[in-house]
Amino acid sequence: MDANPVFSYIVLVFMLGLIYYFWDRNRKNEPLNPFYRRKKKIVAYDDADDTDDIERENKSRSNEKKKRVNIRELLEVEDIKHGLMRLKNDRFVLVVKSGAVNYYLKSQEEQEGIDAAFEAAISAYDGPEMIIYTQSRRVDYDDHIEFQLNNVKNNRNLNDIQKYYSFSVLNFVDVWQSNTEVYEKHRYFLLPYDLTSKDKRKFKNEDQLYRRIFTIMARRAKLLIDTMARAGVRNVTVATDRMIYEMLHFALRRSDARHFKLEEALMRESDSLFVTADRDEHQLELVEKIAKEVSASA
């Protein structure tokens, strides 16, 4: 028998065995070197299992507390009260909500008068930079539909056919607003006030500081409101705390704000003091803080 075919056969078997070895080691996720040993991770276990469970639970709670971020921190809003937003950089913001005017339906003279009044309002403003914020919201007729439904139900002068027709129209309006992307604009003027070291020395009480700054900013806002009223703009008012929360709510939720309304969220939060479920330390601290504030204001 010739030696060359035997040698070729041995080499072929060796190559096939080597290929199978590489494939098997890779399939088992093991190193190609059979003499290589992986370093095992050393995990220390205490004898007391109960102690480990308590430590792990406390550690998970602390991690959750670190991960939890208040929405005010994301917006750099430190507090909202007395009609003012307080930012983290010692800046207070007074919000003025403005109505609309049909500018393009006015005549040329009326448009020029509106422009002149708006320029006068901006130039007469004495303070840091004014921020004009326009917010788009989906139309929401839920309150009006509910009001009309109650009127139809309580109206004794309507017969069954008239009531059925009224209910059909109101149901059509409800379906239309749910399936139609129609938006309305809400306009805001944000008037900032930078806190000085003199204010900090003079007003040690925080409530007095808020009221003092609100008085100063309300004077500047009144000049803006009067000038805008002369331009034909109606419903220009200083925003309350509720209106500021509403502005922030729509800014964050956008299109979902019509379904997840601020009133429902506040109603759920008003019942949070009586929840019987387990609460963590962070929530209990917040509840205690809010209870003290409510009792102090009362």
Side-chain angles (χ1 to χ4, degrees), residues 122-135:
I122 298 300
S123 60
Y125 172 71
D126 183 17
E129 69 277 6
M130 179 191 301
I131 302 172
I132 301 175
Y133 173 54
T134 303
Q135 187 178 86

Side-chain angles (χ1 to χ4, degrees), residues 236-286:
V236 185
T237 57
V238 176
T240 60
D241 295 350
R242 180 71 170 268
M243 297 169 68
I244 295 174
Y245 279 115
E246 184 182 17
M247 178 188 70
L248 299 176
H249 177 71
F250 277 91
L252 294 172
R253 300 306 299 261
R254 294 186 177 273
S255 59
D256 294 339
R258 198 186 74 82
H259 303 286
F260 304 98
K261 295 185 178 180
L262 178 64
E263 291 79 7
E264 297 176 358
L266 294 176
M267 188 178 299
R268 288 194 298 268
E269 287 297 323
S270 64
D271 298 333
S272 62
L273 293 174
F274 307 99
V275 174
T276 57
D278 295 335
R279 311 295 292 272
D280 57 11
E281 295 179 0
H282 180 71
Q283 290 174 317
L284 293 176
E285 290 175 0
L286 290 177

Side-chain angles (χ1 to χ4, degrees), residues 139-155:
V139 292
D140 185 8
Y141 299 125
D142 290 344
D143 295 338
H144 183 69
I145 291 174
E146 185 178 359
F147 174 75
Q148 294 298 338
L149 284 174
N150 293 329
N151 288 339
V152 174
K153 291 179 182 178
N154 299 326
N155 194 340

Side-chain angles (χ1 to χ4, degrees), residues 58-108:
N58 294 334
K59 187 175 181 180
S60 62
R61 285 183 178 180
S62 62
N63 292 334
E64 289 180 0
K65 189 174 181 181
K66 291 178 182 178
K67 292 179 181 179
R68 187 184 294 111
V69 179
N70 196 309
I71 193 62
R72 292 180 178 178
E73 298 179 5
L74 296 177
L75 298 175
E76 296 186 354
V77 178
E78 192 171 300
D79 199 1
I80 300 175
K81 63 181 180 181
H82 297 301
L84 294 172
M85 283 194 305
R86 183 171 185 174
L87 307 183
K88 289 186 177 181
N89 54 356
D90 285 338
R91 166 169 283 196
F92 292 80
V93 178
L94 181 76
V95 181
V96 177
K97 186 175 182 181
S98 174
V101 60
N102 293 326
Y103 182 83
Y104 294 103
L105 298 180
K106 303 289 185 180
S107 62
Q108 184 176 359

